[in-house]
Amino acid sequence: MYNPKSLKAEEFISDEEIKETLEYAEKNKNNLSLVDKILEKAKLRKGLNHRDASVLLACENEEKVKLMYDLAEQIKKDFYGNRIVMFAPLYLSNYCVNGCLYCPYHLKNKNIPRKKLTQEKIKKEVIALQDMGHKRLAIESGEDPVNNPIEYILESINTIYSIKHKNGAIRRVNVNIAATTVENYRKLKDVGIGTYILFQETYDKKAYEYLHPTGPKHDYNYHTEAMDRAMEGGIDDVGIGVLFGLDKYKYEFAGLLMHAEHLEAVHGVGPHTISVPRVKPADDIDPNDFDNSLSDEMFCKIAALIRIAVPYTGMIISTRETPEVREKIIRLGVSQISGGSRTSVGGYTEEERPHDTEQFDVSDNRTLDEVVNWLMKAGYIPSFCTACYRQGRTGDRFMSLCKSGQIQNCCHPNALMTLKEYLMDYASPDTRKVGEALIEKEIDNIGKPELRPKVRDELKKIESGTRDLYF
Ligand code: SAM
């Protein structure tokens, strides 16, 4: 029986409820007066439930779809302005005991060398990332209790935070590791992680069990209930996601929103971020083996509808996507992107991009500087801000500041100040020129005029060598 407040996976992600939702959406996809009503509701910027959002996803009326896109763009502008937060993944280990059919790190893959970074090697990788200008990382690891126990992950996080090279620093470490226990989540919280990220891959239990035939990840309930354990362990900010292209996207979309509704109903705060990865080619993985791949167009529509359905939740897109898709999807709602990424273990310290341990083929191969330059020329402010969780603005505190719009008073100045640091320390001459002009222009867009002289002062301090200033 469907119950968003239940702590049992099969009750808050009820298969029956998803199927009824999809039937309802299919039946109403041409009911344009209902679509209009839902769009009116969406304009209130309080989000949509999974049923209403599913009707919009099913609706193919061109005029209405255009209205959805316009609204998504507007909501994105209202909540996130033109800022895009930058991050990079750091792969710690590709040892894995699971049998995921879409991932090259699966246990039976003997083609790839298995690698695990030592603490010394992590230091080198982190210095390389700092030298690019990164301040925020997402660490990634296969699941292997012997090779990658929680102690290894914790030690690695401490190492990452401890490295201060030139003006560099990693100020926020988000963590993407397999579902674990409340006790381990508490330990992650204690070493100061930012967001705990775990992709559901698919919300369909049957498909999930087929795609994860062996290993601890096979347990659908344990995996699906992970975010509740993370929150019980004190982690305020959790990031969910679906690996699109694995199963039927309409089913996944409804499941994703139901997961968000469940977290809100039980913990009083929804997910901090939603990621929208799509399955990519990799060693011994051919995405065409999964006959549910979805077009770029539908992918963008999903992103737009996530933006409308959960306006306060950040949305992340990785270098799995091409620059063209990234450009479109950023406009429709994405707030965080990776740049200059290497998806192999130890990849940042190699001269050439290594392919032997890559988790997936990267479709955006540009350097961080090129991505920053491109974003600015397209009118965005690349932000290296990590202030919120360092100021205790996490979980429901973050959400209430977000809902009242007050967060903008911090985000916009912080974006400009961290961009200034990037320009001073890492940018190419052209990027610096474009960035300085952008900052100058954007100071006038700081919502509270009384803050503008203060921000100018802080920017001057950064020019004179001070670092890590934030509101
Ligand atoms: N091992 C952890 C787990 O199982 O949740 C998390 C880390 S894994 C490195 C991060 C994510 O990469 C997975 O959750 C999956 O969605 C994604 N992934 C795996 N294989 C992929 C592929 N071939 N293409 C795109 N993304 C992939």
Side-chain angles (χ1 to χ4, degrees):
M1 220 229 313
Y2 176 49
N3 177 8
K5 286 200 165 154
S6 165
L7 291 174
K8 289 192 186 136
E10 282 153 308
E11 291 179 4
F12 66 80
I13 305 291
S14 149
D15 178 61
E16 200 186 347
E17 170 63 18
I18 298 183
K19 285 184 177 146
E20 277 177 23
T21 297
L22 299 190
E23 253 173 56
Y24 172 77
E26 194 54 34
K27 212 167 74 198
N28 283 293
K29 68 178 184 184
N30 296 319
N31 179 348
L32 299 187
S33 70
L34 177 66
V35 169
D36 282 338
K37 262 193 212 143
I38 298 172
L39 282 167
E40 283 308 309
K41 208 190 281 180
K43 282 185 195 157
L44 301 175
R45 286 148 171 71
K46 292 200 175 356
L48 290 179
N49 66 25
H50 61 278
R51 283 219 171 195
D52 285 346
S54 292
V55 172
L56 297 189
L57 184 62
C59 170
E60 289 164 3
N61 178 289
E62 263 179 45
E63 192 192 320
K64 303 297 172 200
V65 172
K66 164 112 184 29
L67 290 176
M68 294 173 209
Y69 279 26
D70 290 348
L71 182 59
E73 260 190 83
Q74 195 52 50
I75 289 180
K76 149 102 194 211
K77 277 193 197 130
D78 295 347
F79 284 90
Y80 303 89
N82 53 349
R83 300 176 299 279
I84 300 289
V85 170
M86 306 301 303
F87 79 100
L90 173 61
Y91 282 76
L92 296 179
S93 167
N94 65 0
Y95 284 93
C96 194
V97 296
N98 286 314
C100 316
L101 297 189
Y102 49 84
C103 180
Y105 292 173
H106 68 85
L107 182 67
K108 285 196 188 138
N109 188 359
K110 304 290 176 215
N111 299 337
I112 56 166
R114 298 290 167 168
K115 288 189 189 165
K116 168 186 166 183
L117 298 180
T118 60
Q119 300 306 307
E120 259 325 290
K121 192 78 195 203
I122 289 174
K123 275 187 196 159
K124 291 194 176 125
E125 287 276 298
V126 170
I127 287 172
L129 283 155
Q130 289 184 2
D131 281 345
M132 289 159 74
H134 278 296
K135 301 284 186 261
R136 175 188 289 244
L137 299 184
I139 57 169
E140 311 275 340
S141 171
E143 178 170 15
D144 185 330
V146 174
N147 287 297
N148 323 323
I150 192 72
E151 290 71 25
Y152 168 71
I153 304 289
L154 299 170
E155 191 187 2
S156 304
I157 296 168
N158 284 327
T159 300
I160 295 168
Y161 278 133
S162 74
I163 298 161
K164 302 280 177 286
H165 169 72
K166 297 187 182 160
N167 279 337
I170 298 302
R171 300 172 183 156
R172 179 175 179 129
V173 178
N174 296 335
V175 174
N176 185 185
I177 61 165
T180 184
T181 59
V182 174
E183 200 192 347
N184 286 347
Y185 286 124
R186 203 162 280 132
K187 291 178 183 167
L188 287 167
K189 160 86 181 167
D190 290 345
V191 293
I193 69 162
T195 312
Y196 171 66
I197 300 165
L198 181 69
F199 301 155
Q200 179 63 31
E201 321 300 4
T202 171
Y203 282 97
D204 182 334
K205 186 172 185 185
K206 268 203 195 110
Y208 182 95
E209 288 174 345
Y210 165 76
L211 289 161
H212 306 95
T214 53
K217 196 166 171 177
H218 177 73
D219 187 338
Y220 174 86
N221 290 5
Y222 190 72
H223 188 83
T224 311
E225 292 158 8
M227 293 315 189
D228 297 295
R229 292 194 301 281
M231 286 190 158
E232 198 187 328
I235 296 177
D236 289 338
D237 290 342
V238 298
I240 60 176
V242 158
L243 186 54
F244 282 103
L246 288 181
D247 204 63
K248 294 157 279 306
Y249 67 88
K250 288 181 181 165
Y251 191 104
E252 303 304 352
F253 178 74
L256 189 66
L257 293 183
M258 282 162 72
H259 200 174
E261 287 161 20
H262 159 72
L263 295 174
E264 174 103 38
V266 175
H267 307 280
V269 48
H272 191 66
T273 54
I274 290 182
S275 297
V276 287
R278 266 198 295 187
V279 70
K280 298 289 297 177
D283 184 85
D284 97 338
I285 304 295
D286 178 356
N288 296 322
D289 290 348
F290 312 102
D291 56 3
N292 296 298
S293 65
L294 81 171
S295 66
D296 288 352
E297 205 182 320
M298 193 48 76
F299 187 54
C300 289
K301 186 173 176 192
I302 287 173
L305 291 178
I306 292 175
R307 184 67 301 131
I308 291 175
V310 280
Y312 313 107
T313 303
M315 210 189 320
I316 303 181
I317 188 100
S318 74
T319 54
R320 288 175 181 87
E321 300 299 331
T322 60
E324 293 71 36
V325 171
R326 298 216 308 165
E327 177 154 26
K328 188 156 182 213
I329 210 167
I330 285 171
R331 192 158 32 83
L332 292 172
V334 163
S335 53
Q336 232 184 91
I337 70 168
S338 47
S341 305
R342 298 219 166 157
T343 62
S344 44
V345 182
Y348 292 107
T349 43
E350 305 277 342
E351 193 73 14
E352 290 287 314
R353 180 184 293 280
H355 293 291
D356 59 342
T357 63
E358 263 188 334
Q359 198 203 9
F360 55 83
D361 285 356
V362 167
S363 301
D364 184 343
N365 286 296
R366 295 172 296 179
T367 63
L368 180 61
D369 190 74
E370 285 167 338
V371 175
V372 166
N373 192 303
W374 164 76
L375 281 173
M376 294 192 301
K377 285 181 178 161
Y380 295 102
I381 311 172
S383 171
F384 293 87
C385 179
T386 55
C388 272
Y389 96 112
R390 296 162 82 211
Q391 292 279 41
R393 294 191 294 260
T394 58
D396 50 1
R397 235 196 114 210
F398 171 83
M399 284 298 170
S400 65
L401 284 167
C402 213
K403 289 179 185 175
S404 68
Q406 284 183 60
I407 198 86
Q408 309 282 1
N409 296 325
C410 303
C411 295
H412 199 78
N414 285 341
L416 297 183
M417 293 191 302
T418 54
L419 175 61
K420 178 76 178 178
E421 285 189 347
Y422 176 83
L423 300 179
M424 298 292 302
D425 293 337
Y426 308 104
S428 65
D430 181 59
T431 301
R432 187 160 177 196
K433 197 167 134 225
V434 177
E436 293 293 354
L438 180 73
I439 291 176
E440 197 45 50
K441 185 175 123 220
E442 289 290 344
I443 291 178
D444 292 336
N445 292 334
I446 294 175
K448 264 191 177 169
E450 61 270 32
L451 266 180
R452 293 174 197 164
K454 170 91 179 132
V455 173
R456 280 195 192 280
D457 284 350
E458 301 296 81
L459 289 168
K460 277 206 192 91
K461 284 187 207 156
I462 295 171
E463 216 152 86
S464 316
T466 309
R467 292 290 174 270
D468 205 14
L469 299 170
Y470 53 88
F471 290 98

